[in-house]
Amino acid sequence: MENAAYVALSRQMTLRRELDIVANNIANADTTGFKVEQLMVGTEIGQRARNHGIRPSASFVLDNGVGRDFGQGALRQTGRPLDFAIEGEGAFFTVETAQGEAYTRDGAFTLDPEGRLTTEAGHPVLGDGGEIILDPALGAVAVAEDGTISQDGQAVGRLNTVRFALLSVLEKGGDGLYRNTANEAPLEANDVQIRQGMLEGSNVNTILEITNLIEISRAYERASKMIENQNDLSKRAVERLGRPN
């Protein structure tokens, strides 16, 4: 296989990865708090398939990992008193899991049998003083813009919202959660507002993602055609060289 075919093959490998990411974006267009993702593509210098010392090394397409856009998603009204949305980019609710603290933009919370505020997956939501305990007998829950939770006119806790200096330290952990992979200390997010009875939608632009899907498919076809043409050229060259004089 010639150098051009190797380069085209490296591009096909990243295109298949891009296809999976874009398809996942589209599938999560209606997922609360989902953040759109994109493949980070770079260049890797590698040895040519054949090099007689007169041509430079080949440049191959490299998968540099997944980038994530943490931009604000649209807020939608739900009317549920335990639904909360963060208005402000880069901040997260804090929850407790078996693997330690995790972070989420999905504020669709509920109460467990002990009265703890939890995510839909059952992870306790953390406040300034730890777990948040609510008593249904005290009546309706009211939440101020700074996250202070009140019942019967008395403050019973405050939602802990944090941000990170480098969002790249966050890695998806399932159930809409992100985990701090670098043990970087989170910073208190005092510049955001909590909206009760609302949820944040995904920031996926469906039309743009469908357009990306079409472009990726066409690019994959072009790379396939390049490999096919290169193989045809190699085949014809071998046939001509093999003919008797």
Side-chain angles (χ1 to χ4, degrees):
M1 188 179 291
E2 298 293 337
N3 297 306
Y6 276 120
V7 173
L9 182 60
S10 71
R11 180 55 179 148
Q12 277 189 318
M13 293 172 65
T14 58
L15 285 169
R16 290 191 63 177
R17 177 85 166 115
E18 282 187 88
L19 190 67
D20 290 341
I21 292 171
V22 172
N24 185 62
N25 287 339
I26 295 173
N28 286 282
D30 294 323
T31 299
T32 302
F34 180 82
K35 300 304 176 185
V36 67
E37 298 173 341
Q38 182 179 4
L39 184 67
M40 309 298 290
V41 178
T43 301
E44 181 179 35
I45 305 301
Q47 293 300 316
R48 298 173 60 86
R50 291 185 299 199
N51 197 334
H52 300 293
I54 59 175
R55 294 181 180 179
S57 298
S59 296
F60 298 95
V61 185
L62 178 66
D63 178 350
N64 275 337
V66 177
R68 191 168 292 111
D69 178 4
F70 283 98
Q72 179 79 49
L75 304 187
R76 67 178 187 274
Q77 193 83 34
T78 67
R80 291 186 66 250
L82 296 183
D83 281 348
F84 307 111
I86 298 175
E87 187 171 7
E89 296 184 3
F92 304 87
F93 297 112
T94 308
V95 303
E96 184 68 37
T97 72
Q99 292 76 39
E101 287 188 0
Y103 310 92
T104 185
R105 294 282 293 196
D106 184 355
F109 300 148
T110 187
L111 293 181
D112 69 4
E114 287 74 39
R116 295 184 305 175
L117 189 66
T118 70
T119 66
E120 291 184 334
H123 303 301
V125 179
L126 298 181
D128 290 344
E131 296 179 357
I132 298 174
I133 309 296
L134 302 177
D135 185 355
L138 294 179
V141 175
V143 178
E145 291 183 352
D146 67 351
T148 300
I149 302 175
S150 302
Q151 283 187 290
D152 195 25
Q154 298 295 320
V156 295
R158 181 174 177 271
L159 291 166
N160 186 28
T161 54
V162 300
R163 65 170 70 253
F164 292 86
L166 291 175
L167 290 171
S168 58
V169 304
L170 297 178
E171 180 181 81
K172 284 205 304 186
D175 294 329
L177 303 179
Y178 296 96
R179 302 193 183 281
N180 181 0
T181 59
N183 293 321
E184 180 177 331
L187 308 173
E188 190 170 354
N190 294 318
D191 57 339
V192 300
Q193 295 179 332
I194 305 300
R195 301 301 185 189
Q196 185 178 15
M198 305 183 77
L199 290 175
E200 179 189 10
S202 77
N203 62 353
V204 174
N205 184 327
T206 306
I207 295 177
L208 179 60
E209 294 304 309
I210 292 175
T211 302
N212 289 339
L213 203 63
I214 295 171
E215 292 178 351
I216 291 169
S217 298
R218 290 175 176 172
Y220 193 91
E221 291 175 1
R222 289 194 294 269
S224 297
K225 189 65 175 178
M226 181 185 294
I227 294 174
E228 183 180 338
N229 291 340
Q230 187 65 48
N231 288 339
D232 288 342
L233 287 173
S234 297
K235 181 180 179 181
R236 287 198 296 268
V238 171
E239 288 175 348
R240 289 180 180 178
L241 290 172
R243 290 174 185 171
N245 294 330

